[in-house]
Amino acid sequence: MSRAFNFSPGPAMLPEPVLRQAQAEMLDWHGVGASIVELSHRGPEFIGVAAEAEADLRKLVGIPDDYAVLFLQGGATAQQALVALNFAEPGQAADYVISGHWGKTAIKQVKPYVDARIAATSEADGFRNIPDPSTWRLSDDAAYVHITANETIHGVEFRDTPKVGTVPLFADFSSSIASEPLDVSKYGLIYAGAQKNLGPVGIAVVIVRRELLERAGQPRADIFDYRSHLKGESMLNTPPTWNWYLAGLTFKWMLAEGGVQEFARRNAQKSKMLYAAIDGSGGFYRNEVDPAVRSRMNVPFFLYDEALDKAFLKESAAAGLMALKGHRALGGMRASIYNAMPVEGVQALVDFMRDFRERHG
Ligand SMILES: *Cc1c(COP(=O)(O)O)cnc(C)c1O
């Protein structure tokens, strides 16, 4: 068996030790005679797994006690809609800063529920930048301000937390949570689908300042109510136990590797190597994002002649470098280099890119 270096944007590569542990525990979890995925979510075994996952995530990300943590279904996209139902009155203003594709989906999800306002957008610039916070048109009566911390498709990342005054800042951290230290207290709410940097698809994490849960929000079913989920310990209905368990193993792996400080170091190193290979290619490769806001997680790049794209994808795959095709909205290539991607994977990519350029340049 040989595992490739997998640059998929999500579902993304998982750490090999996590997959091996899951494999070893698959048939008989901790001697109980069944897989964890065959046990009741109400039993002591799974309740223990869930509690450990929350404690480990709190330690990993540095989540203060006055923040609740929820493990939910519906991915990041469902949370994009639920934030309006839970924290905005019907038709209340909500401010959105759009720096790429996922900011656009976020605003689309809340349109039925709030007066969704575009406070700023870099769309005219092809999302190669983030609008300067001094130009944002924020509303005093907004329920929240929403940003996308890292735009997974456009490869644009906030490098500082913007200051937005007294209105709580909500952020989609799906593709960059736990990639570096994060000051949770600057946010009212953070959400993330797990399949980029936290583990498997099928579960999303919501981190919310507890006092915000006192807001009335809008009429909604219990299953769409964050307060009910908190009261029910994220088990209002049968939770995705397998995904929750795998996410928990991934949190333990990240802590054992040295936590977010260590991943910040590795991610800075990996992204520097890759951008240097692109910028130093004499125009053979190019990344079009303003260097000040280039993503450390998702690196879109183009070949100088798109007629070479097919050969690049075929030869890279043959070299054990998987899933480098760019998103269809942008074309070209994209390398997603989340926490699970080792430095050696990026080194192999950079070496391949040099070799390919020498043969086709
Ligand atoms: C992948 C992604 C989403 C969508 O996640 P789903 O879990 O598929 O709903 C939303 N926002 C960002 C930033 C993403 O990277």
Side-chain angles (χ1 to χ4, degrees), residues 9 26 28 51 84 87 92 102 115 124 127 134 140 158 171 179 221 231 248 250 261 264 315 356:
M26 184 77 186
D28 180 9
F87 303 108
Q92 190 181 355
W102 292 110
D115 173 16
F127 296 125
S134 68
D140 293 335
F158 277 87
S179 66
K231 217 182 290 162
T250 311
Q261 299 283 357
E315 292 179 28
F356 186 87

Side-chain angles (χ1 to χ4, degrees), residues 78-101:
Q79 314 319 315
Q80 292 180 333
L82 293 178
V83 293
L85 286 176
N86 281 270
F87 303 108
E89 289 165 29
Q92 190 181 355
D95 286 333
Y96 281 75
V97 175
I98 317 286
S99 53
H101 170 90

Side-chain angles (χ1 to χ4, degrees), residues 125-280:
D125 180 35
F127 296 125
R128 295 182 182 93
N129 219 319
I130 289 178
D132 190 309
S134 68
T135 67
W136 296 3
R137 295 178 307 274
L138 299 177
S139 331
D140 293 335
D141 55 344
Y144 55 83
V145 180
H146 182 282
I147 62 168
T148 309
N150 179 67
E151 280 286 355
T152 318
I153 293 172
H154 289 90
V156 175
E157 183 179 23
F158 277 87
R159 299 307 302 135
D160 296 301
T161 306
K163 290 200 179 69
V164 294
T166 54
V167 174
L169 180 62
F170 286 15
D172 179 354
F173 263 93
S174 291
S175 49
S176 58
I177 190 165
S179 66
E180 66 180 345
L182 165 66
D183 185 352
V184 173
S185 72
K186 289 183 173 159
Y187 297 85
L189 179 142
I190 286 167
Y191 64 89
Q195 70 270 27
K196 281 50 181 274
N197 218 18
L198 290 183
V201 67
I203 195 155
V205 165
V206 175
I207 301 165
V208 55
R209 198 185 296 141
R210 291 183 198 274
E211 66 178 25
L212 286 171
L213 292 168
E214 289 159 21
R215 286 194 187 177
Q218 310 195 15
R220 58 198 182 274
D222 203 31
I223 196 70
F224 299 143
D225 191 320
Y226 282 166
R227 225 170 354 202
S228 300
H229 280 291
L230 179 62
K231 217 182 290 162
E233 300 185 316
S234 304
M235 298 193 197
L236 278 187
N237 65 330
T238 318
T241 52
W242 175 250
N243 317 52
W244 201 336
Y245 154 80
L246 272 182
L249 293 185
T250 311
F251 304 159
K252 281 193 191 305
W253 174 79
M254 291 196 258
L255 287 168
E257 289 290 302
V260 289
Q261 299 283 357
E262 172 60 14
F263 284 104
R265 190 189 68 73
R266 290 184 201 173
N267 292 331
Q269 184 186 357
K270 288 183 292 179
S271 53
K272 269 196 198 111
M273 283 163 63
L274 187 45
Y275 285 116
I278 294 166
D279 294 341

Side-chain angles (χ1 to χ4, degrees), residues 308-331:
L308 288 172
D309 286 4
K310 251 196 166 138
F312 184 93
L313 288 168
K314 191 163 166 231
E315 292 179 28
S316 58
L321 307 167
M322 260 177 81
L324 285 164
K325 192 172 176 17
H327 189 273
R328 61 187 182 281
L330 283 187

